[in-house]
Amino acid sequence: MPVTLIPRPQELTEGDGEGLTLTPRTRISATPGAEDSLAWLRRELGAATGFPFAPGTENDARIRLSVDPHAGLHPEGYRLIVDDAGALVVGHDPAGVFYGAQTLRQLLPADAYRQAPLGDTAWVLPALTITDAPRFRWRGAMLDIARHFQPKREILRFIDLLALHKLNVLHLHLSDDQGWRVEIRRYPELTRKGAWRTESQVGFSSPLVFDGRPHGGFLTQDDIREIVAHASARHITVVPEIDVPGHSQAAIHAYPELGEVGKIPVGTRWGIFDEVLGVTDNVLEFYKNVFDEIIELFPSTYVHVGGDECTKTQWKNSASAQKRIEEEGLADENELQSWFIRQLDAHLTARGRRLVGWDEILEGGLASGATVMSWRGEEGGIAAARAGHDVIMAPTATSYLDYKQSEDPDEPIPVGTLLRTKDVYTSETVPEKMTEKEAAHVLGAQVNVWTEHIDTPRRLDYMVFPRLTAFAEKVWSSGPRDYAEFEPRLREHLHRLDAIGVEYRPLDGPLPWHTRPGVQGWSR
């Protein structure tokens, strides 16, 4: 049976021997630095096979995991050798060992992804040698839990699915107009009042339709610590986002003094609104305190401050905003937004962190250390790289997994432009317009999962997979990409997702229970 791996490794040479058959007597060993991968592999393969996979020594283990920075591998890279003597995974670093262990699991039948043994599976690793390493160091997915909340158990599962695909960043969108989703001890009203709304808009019909059902939820600080630890054990960094100065209705509802017009409700509609944070010293102090608690919880070097879709109408009519513009010698409200972001950038920098924001943070000038996430096409990323900023590419046309997957009228709540699995796979991360020097600023890419219309874990599965699988290969694998070559491997990979229980969108189109008859979407 041919080897079908996703992402495609850099080098794969099939061997001549019979490989390694796993039995109840198979032992696993690990050198220092590989212990977490040993624990993970024992747990996952043990559940599927029923074998104990007892810890062994280098002399009696048939599966050996080793960290060796002198093995001639790239960062996060690994070498996997399977022959009659056993299976050896050597990683440049602990992350490389983990990715090698993920590949080892893919070499087994799809039942290796089940949580209990079926009793009739032959567990054979084919003889081969693989040498592999990622193309980009930022391989991410953004999950919006502000619009529709995903509880902790679903976030932990999502992390496991990212790890399966060798992705290494989970960007959590924690606040927006429609909800505040993380406990802040100093400001308890953010979750007591701001974590729920009275109802939610359904689709984009005219007139608007609402479901009449309260929606809410938030993560406690202990939940966050658990999520971060779970991700870290899988070599995934969790990047938090608190969106400012726009998209802040939930925060302003909880603390009306943060806004320009007093008390407002938590948002129930989707879109862009005029409500914006004030730019007073008190507002800045509030958010500096919020970010201080955020960086206690998230060890990520990067902290996301949003900065997108901030209308300036209220600032134009605000005495305090106009006074700030005059006092700081700013040209206009665009520069006022950049001034606001720079205050947070200085605060985070002083604490050893780096600010990242959506590409609007370029407007009106940007602090030198800030990283730009380019979402409004490629132009923001190109401009940021030319100005010497690091860039993460996430353009809507190829990265927004809430966008429709076909022109089939049965697609549930179709929004945006068409984004098929093939489109994700064949798109290029580094814009052609970039010079080699500019391209060096591209840290990588991510896909974004906005959840205005993703209100259940089942719908999350449908919108994310298999497009995330295509994205994972795009950001991991080097060399040309041919969808005709990829699709047969993808179809085999879907058997693994079946075994896990992922309710992905079938390649041939939605099934009857995927549809949302009568709920209108919107198109670009």
Side-chain angles (χ1 to χ4, degrees):
M1 183 175 180
V3 174
T4 57
L5 298 175
I6 290 180
R8 182 187 68 234
Q10 284 185 354
E11 301 175 18
L12 188 157
T13 304
E14 296 189 22
D16 298 326
E18 295 182 358
L20 174 64
T21 298
L22 306 184
T23 73
R25 296 182 300 279
T26 301
R27 292 176 176 266
I28 307 177
S29 68
T31 66
E35 299 92 344
D36 285 350
S37 291
L38 169 64
W40 175 84
L41 195 59
R42 289 189 66 204
R43 182 172 58 250
E44 298 300 327
L45 293 188
T49 64
F51 301 161
F53 292 110
T57 67
E58 188 173 347
N59 294 325
D60 64 11
R62 299 300 303 280
I63 300 176
R64 291 172 293 150
L65 310 178
S66 174
V67 175
D68 185 356
H70 306 295
L73 299 165
H74 293 288
E76 298 185 274
Y78 67 90
R79 182 172 294 115
L80 169 59
I81 302 171
V82 182
D83 55 26
D84 294 341
L88 171 65
V89 177
V90 179
H92 175 274
D93 43 37
V97 175
F98 180 72
Y99 297 133
Q102 287 280 7
T103 297
L104 184 149
R105 190 185 188 190
Q106 282 198 21
L107 295 174
L108 294 167
D111 287 345
Y113 292 85
R114 296 190 180 275
Q115 293 300 305
L118 302 185
D120 58 354
T121 305
W123 303 106
V124 180
L125 293 168
L128 49 66
T129 299
I130 293 172
T131 302
D132 201 9
R135 180 185 177 196
F136 294 105
R137 56 183 169 132
W138 186 296
R139 307 180 302 280
M142 187 281 296
L143 181 60
D144 166 19
I145 63 170
R147 270 52 175 270
H148 278 103
F149 180 65
Q150 294 290 337
K152 179 188 69 176
R153 66 177 182 274
E154 299 302 332
I155 298 171
L156 297 176
R157 176 177 180 266
F158 194 72
I159 289 169
D160 288 338
L161 291 169
L162 298 185
L164 162 63
H165 292 88
K166 299 186 173 76
L167 300 180
N168 67 349
V169 175
L170 171 61
H171 167 183
L172 274 183
H173 186 76
L174 294 167
S175 72
D176 215 294
D177 294 313
Q178 298 83 13
W180 185 283
R181 306 296 180 209
V182 57
E183 176 190 15
I184 301 297
R185 296 187 306 270
R186 185 160 181 163
Y187 302 117
E189 301 294 274
L190 286 172
T191 46
R192 193 175 76 84
K193 293 181 177 179
W196 71 279
R197 58 180 180 265
T198 56
E199 60 184 353
S200 306
Q201 178 182 329
V202 180
F204 277 92
S205 58
S206 182
L208 294 178
V209 174
F210 295 85
D211 62 8
R213 182 180 65 185
H215 177 84
F218 66 94
L219 300 172
T220 68
Q221 295 205 352
D222 282 343
D223 291 336
I224 293 291
R225 293 185 182 96
E226 181 181 355
I227 288 166
V228 168
H230 188 83
S232 178
R234 289 149 181 80
H235 300 278
I236 291 173
T237 299
V238 184
V239 174
E241 179 185 356
I242 300 296
D243 204 347
V244 296
H247 286 296
S248 298
Q249 287 185 37
I252 296 169
H253 171 75
Y255 293 92
E257 64 272 21
L258 296 176
E260 292 284 5
V261 294
K263 189 171 180 61
I264 59 173
V266 177
T268 59
R269 296 182 294 137
W270 317 129
I272 304 171
F273 308 100
D274 286 342
E275 285 77 10
V276 65
L277 294 175
V279 290
T280 65
D281 290 343
N282 288 338
V283 172
L284 279 168
E285 185 67 19
F286 181 99
Y287 274 92
K288 288 176 181 178
N289 292 333
V290 166
F291 278 109
D292 281 346
E293 290 199 30
I294 289 294
I295 63 179
E296 285 180 15
L297 296 169
F298 295 90
S300 164
T301 298
Y302 293 90
V303 177
H304 205 300
V305 301
D308 61 312
E309 297 178 331
C310 177
T311 66
K312 310 300 192 295
T313 302
Q314 289 188 347
W315 283 347
K316 290 179 185 295
N317 298 314
S318 163
S320 62
Q322 293 304 310
K323 181 181 178 183
R324 180 69 78 180
I325 289 173
E326 181 180 356
E327 289 176 344
E328 300 296 334
L330 306 174
D332 54 22
E333 289 76 18
N334 284 333
E335 285 197 8
L336 179 61
Q337 177 173 340
S338 289
W339 175 87
F340 187 94
I341 295 295
R342 285 198 301 272
Q343 308 314 300
L344 297 178
D345 180 80
H347 186 78
L348 292 171
T349 299
R351 285 151 177 76
R353 305 304 178 92
R354 292 190 64 182
L355 179 145
V356 58
W358 303 108
D359 56 51
E360 286 96 331
I361 66 174
L362 285 165
E363 298 168 359
L366 183 59
S368 59
T371 298
V372 173
M373 193 165 280
S374 184
W375 74 277
R376 297 179 298 176
E378 297 178 338
E379 296 306 316
I382 294 170
R386 287 177 179 167
H389 296 285
D390 286 342
V391 176
I392 299 134
M393 298 303 297
T396 57
T398 59
S399 309
Y400 272 37
L401 300 191
D402 55 318
Y403 278 13
K404 61 187 178 183
Q405 303 188 62
S406 78
E407 299 292 1
D408 188 327
D410 286 336
E411 286 291 350
I413 319 183
V415 303
T417 53
L418 177 63
L419 182 56
R420 302 166 298 177
T421 300
K422 180 179 181 180
D423 301 323
V424 174
Y425 186 75
T426 57
S427 62
E428 180 48 61
T429 299
V430 179
E432 292 182 0
K433 298 178 183 178
M434 280 188 176
T435 65
E436 184 176 345
K437 181 179 179 181
E438 292 162 357
H441 282 289
V442 178
L443 303 181
Q446 70 178 39
V447 286
N448 295 329
V449 188
W450 300 105
T451 59
E452 290 94 334
H453 312 291
I454 301 175
D455 55 357
T456 68
R458 298 183 73 183
R459 192 159 302 283
L460 181 67
D461 278 3
Y462 178 89
M463 298 305 292
V464 171
F465 296 98
R467 292 186 291 184
L468 182 133
T469 304
F471 170 78
E473 179 152 312
K474 181 178 80 169
V475 291
W476 177 278
S477 304
S478 300
R481 291 186 303 280
D482 178 2
Y483 189 75
E485 184 277 330
F486 172 73
E487 185 175 332
R489 287 189 289 116
L490 175 60
R491 290 187 181 276
E492 287 299 316
H493 187 74
L494 295 181
H495 295 311
R496 300 178 185 122
L497 299 185
D498 285 329
I500 295 169
V502 176
E503 296 192 61
Y504 56 85
R505 179 190 183 276
L507 296 181
D508 298 330
L511 297 169
W513 56 87
H514 295 143
T515 64
R516 293 287 298 273
V519 182
Q520 298 179 23
W522 62 272
S523 297
R524 287 192 185 276

